[in-house]
Amino acid sequence: MAAPTTGRRASTPLTWRVARLVERRVETPSAQALILDVPGWPGHLPGQHVDVRLTAADGYQAARSYSLAGPAEGDRIALTVQKVPDGEVSPYLIDVYAEGDPVEIRGPVGGWFVWRPEERAPVLLVGGGSGVVPLMAMVRARRAAGSRAPFRLIYSVRTPGDVIYADELRRRARDDQGLDVTYVYTRQAPEGWRGEPHRIGLADVNSHGWPPDLEPLCYVCGPTGFVETVADLLVGLGHQTRRVRTERFGPTG
């Protein structure tokens, strides 16, 4: 996921660190998971993101923000990058960046759109496209911490082939007790799917989310229009505004 715009930056200065690629995994035809080694990484919370900076031979620099995709493993962090064809950063990370190559990393960034494992309230995650990345970080952190907080994920994608983490989500929905996963397909649904492709609406959020009287924590991430629609639906259903946390991203790459 690229360019989150609503995370709250930490008040302490952040320094650039040199990170090197140690592993990559293909998630969809346009998205890849990148595992980076970042010496001296201070740790992070699920929902935070990092700035990634590239420097060309002539000194030109380009930077983008990417959500962290899971808990840190020592000095190793995971990002999931979706390629934007006319972007300045994502095509390099997908097509050129090789194991052992350096990039600069700054972070972690953000203190509002985060989930802490000590939380016990029900959690509703609503993601659009690559907006699932920080939500997946929360799902992974929940399992790693042994949390019993009940999670529900509503994931809106264009087609089944666009589902990031498809195999892992299938496995977690089966094995992670207290995690429910629901898909909304906007252009093409899988064969045998009940209903027609559609944009996420009131019925989806009402049927597959938590009732507001349970006071769940709600995290919504995706393109701006998607986030605004879902946030309005949640508030309209009676969810407290302060418990609806949003992160949106633009088309930059």
Side-chain angles (χ1 to χ4, degrees), residues 4 6 40 57 78 100 120 122 126 150 185 213 222:
T6 61
R120 294 293 179 263
V126 188
Y185 298 99
D213 59 331

Side-chain angles (χ1 to χ4, degrees), residues 4 19 65 86 120:
S65 295
D86 59 350
R120 294 293 179 263

